[in-house]
Amino acid sequence: MAQLLSSPRFENALKALLLLALALFLYTRLASGTLFFYINQRFMAYTMIAIVGLVFVALSYRPAGRRPASRAREHDPEHDPGHEHTHAHSHEHDHEHGHEHGHNHRLTWTGVALVLLPIVLGVVVPPQPLGAAAIGNREVNVTSTGSALPAAVRAAAAKDAADKNQLDWLNTFAGSAHPAEDFAGQPVDVIGFVFRDERFGANQFMVTRFVVSCCVADANVAGMVVETPDAAALAADQWVQVRGVLAPGQLGERSLPVVVAASITPVDAPPQPYLYP
């Protein structure tokens, strides 16, 4: 195997195939929309540039061909009286600089594995958005985003109540000192997945969305507490549309706005399940 990889022709072909495979993988994920299960949509242009760059570099790897006969004769000892001197000088030169320049850009099987690993994992493991199981080690925001910018608060406040998603509501709550009282009676119409833990009462759950700023590694949770007698019948991760009105409520010892549900309808997960700040 090592001898095979030492062939310049094989090495160049393998480099090109690896880069083309990576470009194809990114393109298929981009075309299907599943790439955005992992990164923010605003990086779409950069992803396209990366795909084009990978293809361009792959095409630059041409198989190493034989030297033309005329070039070979130039270095033939029988046709070059000064060959002995040139060879000796070249030999010395190689020894002086061989360790400095040799093998710096050679491909290794470890390098091949590192490039192939994300492609193989991406093909074998179906792309899935984050769900309730991923909330355990993340802070759950139910009254504010924790870092709402004034511009985001103003933009959320300008939206009609029926058009606000969970992130909009949290930004709206952040602009009030007493959101539970100030927004009581406001209509709510949001879509999200069901989440609950030991803090929630028997008649409560949270309708939840993940908020992705850059990638899923920095995803935060935005949710609204919903009160309904049917809360226990809803399965975790089930996507629902909740319509109701805001009212002052409690989550454990904490006062906050809750959604008193008028209707809860099971729905399919949206094509893009995340929210973006």
Side-chain angles (χ1 to χ4, degrees), residues 1 5 10 14-15 17-19 21-22 106-122:
M1 296 290 284
L5 195 58
F10 177 80
L14 184 56
K15 286 179 178 179
L17 286 175
L18 287 173
L19 293 174
L22 186 56
R106 297 303 301 273
L107 184 64
T108 66
W109 289 114
T110 301
V112 172
L114 288 175
V115 176
L116 279 179
L117 183 61
I119 300 174
V120 173
L121 289 177

mmCIF file of all heavy atoms in Angstrom, residues 1 5 10 14-15 17-19 21-22 106-122:
data_model
loop_
_atom_site.group_PDB
_atom_site.id
_atom_site.type_symbol
_atom_site.label_atom_id
_atom_site.label_comp_id
_atom_site.label_asym_id
_atom_site.label_seq_id
_atom_site.Cartn_x
_atom_site.Cartn_y
_atom_site.Cartn_z
ATOM 1 N N MET A 1 0.821 -1.209 0.000
ATOM 2 C CA MET A 1 0.000 0.000 0.000
ATOM 3 C C MET A 1 0.859 1.265 0.000
ATOM 4 O O MET A 1 0.552 2.240 -0.659
ATOM 5 C CB MET A 1 -0.920 0.010 1.226
ATOM 6 C CG MET A 1 -1.942 -1.113 1.234
ATOM 7 S SD MET A 1 -3.214 -0.872 -0.027
ATOM 8 C CE MET A 1 -4.178 0.410 0.757
ATOM 9 N N LEU A 5 0.991 4.392 -2.828
ATOM 10 C CA LEU A 5 0.809 5.818 -2.545
ATOM 11 C C LEU A 5 2.037 6.628 -2.931
ATOM 12 O O LEU A 5 1.954 7.831 -3.129
ATOM 13 C CB LEU A 5 0.492 6.013 -1.059
ATOM 14 C CG LEU A 5 -0.076 7.373 -0.653
ATOM 15 C CD1 LEU A 5 -1.357 7.666 -1.420
ATOM 16 C CD2 LEU A 5 -0.329 7.429 0.840
ATOM 17 N N PHE A 10 -0.588 7.962 -9.046
ATOM 18 C CA PHE A 10 -1.662 7.497 -8.167
ATOM 19 C C PHE A 10 -1.984 8.543 -7.094
ATOM 20 O O PHE A 10 -3.146 8.796 -6.775
ATOM 21 C CB PHE A 10 -1.265 6.176 -7.502
ATOM 22 C CG PHE A 10 -2.285 5.664 -6.522
ATOM 23 C CD1 PHE A 10 -3.425 4.996 -6.962
ATOM 24 C CD2 PHE A 10 -2.118 5.868 -5.155
ATOM 25 C CE1 PHE A 10 -4.370 4.534 -6.063
ATOM 26 C CE2 PHE A 10 -3.068 5.411 -4.250
ATOM 27 C CZ PHE A 10 -4.188 4.739 -4.709
ATOM 28 N N LEU A 14 -5.561 10.324 -6.504
ATOM 29 C CA LEU A 14 -6.272 10.148 -5.236
ATOM 30 C C LEU A 14 -6.603 11.499 -4.608
ATOM 31 O O LEU A 14 -7.703 11.700 -4.071
ATOM 32 C CB LEU A 14 -5.423 9.313 -4.279
ATOM 33 C CG LEU A 14 -6.068 8.948 -2.936
ATOM 34 C CD1 LEU A 14 -7.393 8.224 -3.150
ATOM 35 C CD2 LEU A 14 -5.110 8.098 -2.105
ATOM 36 N N LYS A 15 -5.670 12.440 -4.669
ATOM 37 C CA LYS A 15 -5.939 13.790 -4.152
ATOM 38 C C LYS A 15 -7.141 14.411 -4.861
ATOM 39 O O LYS A 15 -8.029 14.987 -4.236
ATOM 40 C CB LYS A 15 -4.710 14.689 -4.324
ATOM 41 C CG LYS A 15 -3.576 14.418 -3.364
ATOM 42 C CD LYS A 15 -2.412 15.354 -3.658
ATOM 43 C CE LYS A 15 -1.269 15.146 -2.689
ATOM 44 N NZ LYS A 15 -0.106 16.030 -2.984
ATOM 45 N N LEU A 17 -9.588 12.883 -6.471
ATOM 46 C CA LEU A 17 -10.829 12.173 -6.128
ATOM 47 C C LEU A 17 -11.336 12.559 -4.741
ATOM 48 O O LEU A 17 -12.547 12.730 -4.543
ATOM 49 C CB LEU A 17 -10.591 10.661 -6.204
ATOM 50 C CG LEU A 17 -10.489 10.067 -7.609
ATOM 51 C CD1 LEU A 17 -10.122 8.596 -7.535
ATOM 52 C CD2 LEU A 17 -11.808 10.247 -8.365
ATOM 53 N N LEU A 18 -10.430 12.703 -3.786
ATOM 54 C CA LEU A 18 -10.832 13.087 -2.431
ATOM 55 C C LEU A 18 -11.466 14.481 -2.418
ATOM 56 O O LEU A 18 -12.500 14.702 -1.769
ATOM 57 C CB LEU A 18 -9.627 13.051 -1.493
ATOM 58 C CG LEU A 18 -9.099 11.666 -1.098
ATOM 59 C CD1 LEU A 18 -7.802 11.797 -0.317
ATOM 60 C CD2 LEU A 18 -10.139 10.912 -0.270
ATOM 61 N N LEU A 19 -10.847 15.407 -3.116
ATOM 62 C CA LEU A 19 -11.379 16.771 -3.156
ATOM 63 C C LEU A 19 -12.723 16.820 -3.880
ATOM 64 O O LEU A 19 -13.650 17.522 -3.452
ATOM 65 C CB LEU A 19 -10.379 17.707 -3.826
ATOM 66 C CG LEU A 19 -9.074 17.943 -3.055
ATOM 67 C CD1 LEU A 19 -8.108 18.778 -3.886
ATOM 68 C CD2 LEU A 19 -9.341 18.623 -1.716
ATOM 69 N N ALA A 21 -14.845 14.321 -4.090
ATOM 70 C CA ALA A 21 -15.821 13.656 -3.213
ATOM 71 C C ALA A 21 -16.310 14.614 -2.133
ATOM 72 O O ALA A 21 -17.506 14.665 -1.822
ATOM 73 C CB ALA A 21 -15.193 12.416 -2.576
ATOM 74 N N LEU A 22 -15.387 15.386 -1.567
ATOM 75 C CA LEU A 22 -15.777 16.351 -0.536
ATOM 76 C C LEU A 22 -16.669 17.443 -1.123
ATOM 77 O O LEU A 22 -17.664 17.856 -0.514
ATOM 78 C CB LEU A 22 -14.527 16.963 0.094
ATOM 79 C CG LEU A 22 -14.739 17.886 1.296
ATOM 80 C CD1 LEU A 22 -15.504 17.165 2.403
ATOM 81 C CD2 LEU A 22 -13.401 18.387 1.826
ATOM 82 N N ARG A 106 3.547 15.364 0.471
ATOM 83 C CA ARG A 106 3.161 14.012 0.146
ATOM 84 C C ARG A 106 1.895 13.627 0.904
ATOM 85 O O ARG A 106 1.696 13.991 2.060
ATOM 86 C CB ARG A 106 4.282 13.025 0.496
ATOM 87 C CG ARG A 106 5.553 13.230 -0.289
ATOM 88 C CD ARG A 106 5.320 13.153 -1.783
ATOM 89 N NE ARG A 106 4.759 11.873 -2.174
ATOM 90 C CZ ARG A 106 5.495 10.804 -2.463
ATOM 91 N NH1 ARG A 106 6.811 10.872 -2.416
ATOM 92 N NH2 ARG A 106 4.914 9.683 -2.840
ATOM 93 N N LEU A 107 1.056 12.867 0.242
ATOM 94 C CA LEU A 107 -0.183 12.388 0.838
ATOM 95 C C LEU A 107 0.097 11.123 1.624
ATOM 96 O O LEU A 107 0.844 10.252 1.185
ATOM 97 C CB LEU A 107 -1.201 12.112 -0.263
ATOM 98 C CG LEU A 107 -2.609 11.690 0.162
ATOM 99 C CD1 LEU A 107 -3.279 12.814 0.935
ATOM 100 C CD2 LEU A 107 -3.438 11.322 -1.061
ATOM 101 N N THR A 108 -0.483 11.005 2.803
ATOM 102 C CA THR A 108 -0.346 9.802 3.625
ATOM 103 C C THR A 108 -1.710 9.159 3.801
ATOM 104 O O THR A 108 -2.749 9.794 3.594
ATOM 105 C CB THR A 108 0.234 10.142 5.003
ATOM 106 O OG1 THR A 108 -0.720 10.965 5.724
ATOM 107 C CG2 THR A 108 1.556 10.905 4.885
ATOM 108 N N TRP A 109 -1.696 7.894 4.197
ATOM 109 C CA TRP A 109 -2.974 7.214 4.424
ATOM 110 C C TRP A 109 -3.727 7.828 5.593
ATOM 111 O O TRP A 109 -4.943 7.805 5.631
ATOM 112 C CB TRP A 109 -2.735 5.721 4.647
ATOM 113 C CG TRP A 109 -2.317 5.016 3.396
ATOM 114 C CD1 TRP A 109 -1.114 4.439 3.137
ATOM 115 C CD2 TRP A 109 -3.103 4.850 2.201
ATOM 116 N NE1 TRP A 109 -1.093 3.915 1.856
ATOM 117 C CE2 TRP A 109 -2.294 4.145 1.272
ATOM 118 C CE3 TRP A 109 -4.384 5.216 1.831
ATOM 119 C CZ2 TRP A 109 -2.756 3.814 -0.006
ATOM 120 C CZ3 TRP A 109 -4.842 4.880 0.557
ATOM 121 C CH2 TRP A 109 -4.037 4.191 -0.342
ATOM 122 N N THR A 110 -2.996 8.396 6.549
ATOM 123 C CA THR A 110 -3.664 9.107 7.650
ATOM 124 C C THR A 110 -4.411 10.321 7.113
ATOM 125 O O THR A 110 -5.552 10.599 7.514
ATOM 126 C CB THR A 110 -2.632 9.558 8.702
ATOM 127 O OG1 THR A 110 -1.946 8.406 9.209
ATOM 128 C CG2 THR A 110 -3.318 10.284 9.853
ATOM 129 N N GLY A 111 -3.777 11.049 6.188
ATOM 130 C CA GLY A 111 -4.444 12.193 5.568
ATOM 131 C C GLY A 111 -5.669 11.781 4.788
ATOM 132 O O GLY A 111 -6.710 12.456 4.823
ATOM 133 N N VAL A 112 -5.555 10.651 4.068
ATOM 134 C CA VAL A 112 -6.713 10.139 3.323
ATOM 135 C C VAL A 112 -7.868 9.839 4.273
ATOM 136 O O VAL A 112 -9.028 10.198 4.022
ATOM 137 C CB VAL A 112 -6.326 8.864 2.536
ATOM 138 C CG1 VAL A 112 -7.555 8.214 1.919
ATOM 139 C CG2 VAL A 112 -5.315 9.204 1.454
ATOM 140 N N ALA A 113 -7.552 9.198 5.399
ATOM 141 C CA ALA A 113 -8.593 8.830 6.367
ATOM 142 C C ALA A 113 -9.257 10.064 6.964
ATOM 143 O O ALA A 113 -10.474 10.087 7.171
ATOM 144 C CB ALA A 113 -7.991 7.965 7.478
ATOM 145 N N LEU A 114 -8.472 11.114 7.234
ATOM 146 C CA LEU A 114 -9.028 12.326 7.833
ATOM 147 C C LEU A 114 -10.006 13.028 6.885
ATOM 148 O O LEU A 114 -10.991 13.618 7.330
ATOM 149 C CB LEU A 114 -7.899 13.287 8.223
ATOM 150 C CG LEU A 114 -7.050 12.860 9.425
ATOM 151 C CD1 LEU A 114 -5.886 13.829 9.628
ATOM 152 C CD2 LEU A 114 -7.897 12.791 10.695
ATOM 153 N N VAL A 115 -9.716 12.968 5.588
ATOM 154 C CA VAL A 115 -10.625 13.588 4.616
ATOM 155 C C VAL A 115 -11.864 12.723 4.413
ATOM 156 O O VAL A 115 -12.985 13.222 4.289
ATOM 157 C CB VAL A 115 -9.902 13.825 3.281
ATOM 158 C CG1 VAL A 115 -10.866 14.383 2.245
ATOM 159 C CG2 VAL A 115 -8.737 14.801 3.468
ATOM 160 N N LEU A 116 -11.671 11.402 4.382
ATOM 161 C CA LEU A 116 -12.790 10.497 4.131
ATOM 162 C C LEU A 116 -13.745 10.380 5.316
ATOM 163 O O LEU A 116 -14.939 10.147 5.126
ATOM 164 C CB LEU A 116 -12.262 9.102 3.775
ATOM 165 C CG LEU A 116 -11.812 8.870 2.341
ATOM 166 C CD1 LEU A 116 -11.296 7.454 2.183
ATOM 167 C CD2 LEU A 116 -12.962 9.118 1.367
ATOM 168 N N LEU A 117 -13.231 10.535 6.542
ATOM 169 C CA LEU A 117 -14.049 10.292 7.723
ATOM 170 C C LEU A 117 -15.329 11.120 7.754
ATOM 171 O O LEU A 117 -16.423 10.567 7.940
ATOM 172 C CB LEU A 117 -13.223 10.528 8.993
ATOM 173 C CG LEU A 117 -13.940 10.242 10.320
ATOM 174 C CD1 LEU A 117 -14.371 8.778 10.388
ATOM 175 C CD2 LEU A 117 -13.043 10.593 11.497
ATOM 176 N N PRO A 118 -15.276 12.465 7.589
ATOM 177 C CA PRO A 118 -16.532 13.231 7.616
ATOM 178 C C PRO A 118 -17.478 12.862 6.485
ATOM 179 O O PRO A 118 -18.699 12.916 6.651
ATOM 180 C CB PRO A 118 -16.070 14.689 7.516
ATOM 181 C CG PRO A 118 -14.697 14.635 6.934
ATOM 182 C CD PRO A 118 -14.102 13.350 7.428
ATOM 183 N N ILE A 119 -16.923 12.479 5.319
ATOM 184 C CA ILE A 119 -17.780 12.086 4.202
ATOM 185 C C ILE A 119 -18.511 10.793 4.530
ATOM 186 O O ILE A 119 -19.724 10.670 4.340
ATOM 187 C CB ILE A 119 -16.949 11.932 2.916
ATOM 188 C CG1 ILE A 119 -16.261 13.254 2.559
ATOM 189 C CG2 ILE A 119 -17.826 11.454 1.767
ATOM 190 C CD1 ILE A 119 -15.312 13.148 1.382
ATOM 191 N N VAL A 120 -17.763 9.809 5.055
ATOM 192 C CA VAL A 120 -18.363 8.513 5.397
ATOM 193 C C VAL A 120 -19.414 8.682 6.492
ATOM 194 O O VAL A 120 -20.526 8.146 6.400
ATOM 195 C CB VAL A 120 -17.268 7.517 5.833
ATOM 196 C CG1 VAL A 120 -17.892 6.230 6.366
ATOM 197 C CG2 VAL A 120 -16.346 7.207 4.665
ATOM 198 N N LEU A 121 -19.073 9.437 7.531
ATOM 199 C CA LEU A 121 -20.037 9.655 8.614
ATOM 200 C C LEU A 121 -21.272 10.384 8.107
ATOM 201 O O LEU A 121 -22.401 10.077 8.516
ATOM 202 C CB LEU A 121 -19.383 10.456 9.743
ATOM 203 C CG LEU A 121 -18.332 9.728 10.578
ATOM 204 C CD1 LEU A 121 -17.726 10.669 11.617
ATOM 205 C CD2 LEU A 121 -18.927 8.514 11.279
ATOM 206 N N GLY A 122 -21.074 11.349 7.211
ATOM 207 C CA GLY A 122 -22.197 12.096 6.666
ATOM 208 C C GLY A 122 -23.126 11.240 5.837
ATOM 209 O O GLY A 122 -24.335 11.488 5.785
#
